[in-house]
Amino acid sequence: MRISKRIENLPPYLFVEMSKKLAEKRAKGEDVVSLAIGDPDLPTPPHVIDRLCQASRDPANHRYPESEGLPEFRRAIAEWYEQRFGLDLDPDREVLPLIGSKEGIAHIALCFIDPGDIALVPDPAYPVYSMGTMFAGGETYYLPLTEENGFLPDLDTVPAEIARQAKVLWLNYPNKPTGAAAGLDFFERVVAFAREYDLAVCHDAPYTEVAFDGYQPVSFMQAPGSREVGVEFHSLSKSYNMTGWRVGMVVGNAQMVNALMRVKSNLDSGIPQAIQYAAIAALLGSRDCIEEHNAIYQRRRDLVVDTFNRIGLRARPPQASLYVWARTPEGCNSIDFATKLLDEAGVMVTPGVGYGKSGEGYIRASLTTPDDRLEEGLRRLEAWHASQANI
Ligand SMILES: *Cc1c(COP(=O)(O)O)cnc(C)c1O
């Protein structure tokens, strides 16, 4: 048989060497603390699980769901957006549930990208934006995110002929992996840019609820005119510790939502209904669980940032997201440095270059490791640093 070019040409998985090393070490019985995983360690709140159990016993929920989701789930999403961001979304035209937002993020490329078309994608970024583009036959033009620009892309530096050819602009705030946040002024600039070059804006926003020190991230859909040019992907994964249940949504421009719906109705059969009912319970339930989770993440963030700065890894406390983005020591590339920490300290972090060229010179530590293991990892890093100083 002959595998397609699109599969054969998939770029090598950048973390493959490190994952192999980790597996070898664990097979030998070595204890490694992983700060590399971005998957909440805390459980889904009990009231959400209760609703899931109850709904799963109802035979009405054992049958095929509709691709466009339960009307009451779409209404709950609109209501949540109303309460959280003051927006009045039409639940039938401007809201679409997704089987986890990753699913929609990958598939929306099929709505805009024909072979040879260009998507503008930040660098570093979640790899799915460019992989979806590639699967649709398109090309990615990368927008570097630099510390000097607060990890916001400088839209003025995109060559006009590239911007004219491009059909999609991807953005993600609060940002993974840098932890950066964007304000409405930036999103207003994005709307103007999208109008000028006739771009579809796709804003990926799974971290708007994971924020610290009282900071309240904004939605792209709050920017005037945003509904004419774009959509926002959101997810219950990070806000409600529901990564395992696979439920997310896209909201915004009705034409874009409808195009994605048409793709999806030919590819999938929707989200299991019991999970949709659990998601409704999460969205319409108390926000106390979010506050509780954020207090835990904020304490971890402070521990990580303090330790990193003490051992010479320059890191600023992020206002939001589940990540600390820190500079590697001068002259040390991110893969070599992450490998060194794994070999010499028994701590795994993610090399920044895994998220794109502009991630070189950084490592990422995630805040989703249980407290005792995180504290153990940080003790190891301090001890490792002290041993370095003595060499
Ligand atoms: C976790 C994450 C997603 C995907 O979340 P789902 O579990 O698929 O809803 C999308 N984008 C970013 C930046 C993420 O970190």
Side-chain angles (χ1 to χ4, degrees):
M1 75 185 72
R2 286 159 299 161
I3 301 286
S4 68
K5 295 223 170 41
R6 91 171 51 81
I7 298 299
E8 289 202 318
N9 296 345
L10 279 176
Y13 182 51
L14 261 149
F15 307 127
V16 88
E17 282 302 312
M18 291 206 57
S19 308
K20 246 201 275 175
K21 273 203 133 153
L22 178 66
E24 279 166 22
K25 283 180 187 290
R26 286 188 166 157
K28 279 192 277 179
E30 282 180 47
D31 176 58
V32 176
V33 176
S34 177
L35 306 182
I37 303 160
D39 184 355
D41 57 306
L42 306 166
T44 306
H47 67 281
V48 178
I49 297 294
D50 287 345
R51 186 70 186 99
L52 175 65
C53 292
Q54 186 196 28
S56 69
R57 290 194 195 94
D58 181 351
N61 296 328
H62 298 179
R63 310 187 62 194
Y64 281 124
E66 299 285 353
S67 293
E68 70 267 29
L70 290 162
E72 51 267 59
F73 183 28
R74 293 198 307 272
R75 283 198 297 272
I77 292 168
E79 195 172 321
W80 186 86
Y81 256 85
E82 213 277 306
Q83 283 175 11
R84 175 64 178 84
F85 299 113
L87 294 164
D88 63 329
L89 296 164
D90 177 343
D92 295 328
R93 294 174 58 254
E94 295 176 317
V95 172
L96 180 64
L98 300 170
I99 312 170
S101 60
K102 182 181 189 178
E103 178 263 304
I105 290 168
H107 285 144
I108 202 166
L110 297 171
C111 302
F112 297 100
I113 301 292
D114 287 313
D117 285 348
I118 292 178
L120 305 176
V121 174
D123 162 26
Y126 186 53
V128 185
Y129 317 139
S130 54
M131 296 311 288
T133 305
M134 189 274 286
F135 279 137
E139 313 268 334
T140 296
Y141 182 89
Y142 288 102
L143 310 178
L145 305 184
T146 64
E147 208 160 330
E148 303 81 75
N149 288 332
F151 300 110
L152 302 174
D154 184 355
L155 298 174
D156 295 328
T157 62
V158 181
E161 73 275 16
I162 296 285
R164 267 195 296 275
Q165 271 185 66
K167 295 179 77 178
V168 179
L169 168 61
W170 278 100
L171 295 167
N172 160 227
Y173 293 97
N175 186 256
K176 159 162 145 178
T178 69
L184 274 185
D185 51 341
F186 173 72
F187 288 146
E188 283 168 21
R189 170 76 187 97
V190 167
V191 170
F193 184 78
R195 279 185 173 146
E196 183 176 356
Y197 293 107
D198 195 16
L199 298 170
V201 178
C202 295
H203 183 237
D204 182 22
Y207 297 105
T208 60
E209 307 316 293
V210 187
F212 313 119
D213 308 319
Y215 171 62
Q216 289 237 327
V218 293
S219 163
F220 172 65
M221 305 322 302
Q222 287 173 295
S226 59
R227 245 185 272 189
E228 287 148 44
V229 296
V231 290
E232 180 161 277
F233 290 88
H234 215 293
S235 173
L236 281 82
S237 288
K238 315 292 165 42
S239 323
Y240 297 96
N241 301 336
M242 289 177 71
T243 50
W245 301 114
R246 312 311 303 131
V247 57
M249 61 272 210
V250 64
V251 307
N253 182 273
Q255 200 188 345
M256 292 176 72
V257 165
N258 182 255
L260 184 55
M261 167 60 207
R262 288 167 64 193
V263 168
K264 279 172 57 60
S265 62
N266 286 285
L267 288 179
D268 69 58
S269 300
I271 306 160
Q273 285 187 179
I275 292 175
Q276 297 188 54
Y277 284 112
I280 294 172
L283 292 176
L284 301 185
S286 158
R287 284 185 64 89
D288 291 353
C289 57
I290 291 182
E291 302 308 323
E292 285 161 25
H293 305 153
N294 287 348
I296 293 169
Y297 294 136
Q298 183 170 323
R299 177 177 167 273
R300 292 177 185 172
R301 175 200 70 165
D302 293 341
L303 290 174
V304 171
V305 169
D306 285 354
T307 302
F308 276 17
N309 283 309
R310 264 205 304 280
I311 68 170
L313 306 176
R314 200 159 49 71
R316 288 201 203 122
Q319 288 177 286
S321 89
L322 291 170
Y323 311 101
V324 171
W325 187 240
R327 288 219 77 119
T328 58
E330 204 56 42
C332 213
N333 84 46
S334 63
I335 292 183
D336 290 350
F337 186 66
T339 307
K340 201 172 164 73
L341 291 185
L342 180 59
D343 286 338
E344 297 175 9
V347 174
M348 184 151 157
V349 297
T350 315
V353 76
Y355 298 97
K357 266 207 310 235
S358 301
E360 186 51 274
Y362 293 88
I363 53 164
R364 190 196 81 169
S366 147
L367 305 177
T368 56
T369 302
D371 290 344
D372 55 335
R373 294 294 290 163
L374 178 72
E375 287 163 24
E376 167 63 19
L378 296 177
R379 270 194 297 277
R380 289 183 189 185
L381 290 176
E382 299 243 24
W384 170 81
H385 179 68
S387 74
Q388 296 284 298
N390 294 335
I391 291 172

